[in-house]
Amino acid sequence: MPAHSAPASLYAPSALVVTTGPGESAAAAPERAVTLNCAYATSGTHPDPRQACADLDRVNGDLNRLATLRAEQTERPCTKEYRPIVVTIQGVWRGTRVNYEHTFANSCIKETQGASVFAF
């Protein structure tokens, strides 16, 4: 009997784990984590996977540009309080392995400057 394999996908995999936590680096354990799958159909534990995947598409997967997306749309003032929060994104985006880390000065700045990918 011939062996059967799973059908090959026409789409490169895009599956990510996004975390947030206090501090200046991801060396400490994250406080929150969500999953995000952007291949063919959006899914995951992220509260708005459709918008998060759309934001990733808008920057063509350039994770360094994510922090500029919402800044273009939001005029919310934030305090200059320094309570760093680190965001990490690890996984695969369109078949390419990613390992991203960005530290925001505080959660308000994360929410104001961060794309919907960081909104959880």
Side-chain angles (χ1 to χ4, degrees):
M1 180 176 252
H4 295 292
S5 61
S9 173
L10 299 176
Y11 303 94
S14 291
L16 304 168
V17 175
V18 186
T19 68
T20 63
E24 295 179 356
S25 87
E31 282 185 337
R32 301 191 71 194
V34 296
T35 58
L36 184 60
N37 185 346
C38 298
Y40 186 65
T42 58
S43 63
T45 60
H46 190 283
D48 191 355
R50 204 171 270 153
Q51 183 61 51
C53 290
D55 282 349
L56 286 165
D57 282 334
R58 283 181 50 202
V59 296
N60 199 28
D62 183 351
L63 302 176
N64 291 313
R65 289 182 46 214
L66 282 175
T68 65
L69 286 180
R70 197 173 285 174
E72 299 166 357
Q73 305 165 1
T74 305
E75 298 284 331
R76 179 180 167 193
C78 290
T79 65
K80 294 187 179 190
E81 169 187 32
Y82 188 68
R83 295 188 75 163
I85 187 163
V86 65
V87 175
T88 68
I89 302 174
Q90 296 178 331
V92 178
W93 175 256
R94 294 188 180 162
T96 301
R97 184 103 174 100
V98 296
N99 188 16
Y100 171 83
E101 181 176 322
H102 184 84
T103 303
F104 293 93
N106 59 51
S107 61
C108 178
I109 293 172
K110 176 185 79 76
E111 292 167 12
T112 301
Q113 293 180 356
S116 64
V117 176
F118 305 150
F120 63 92

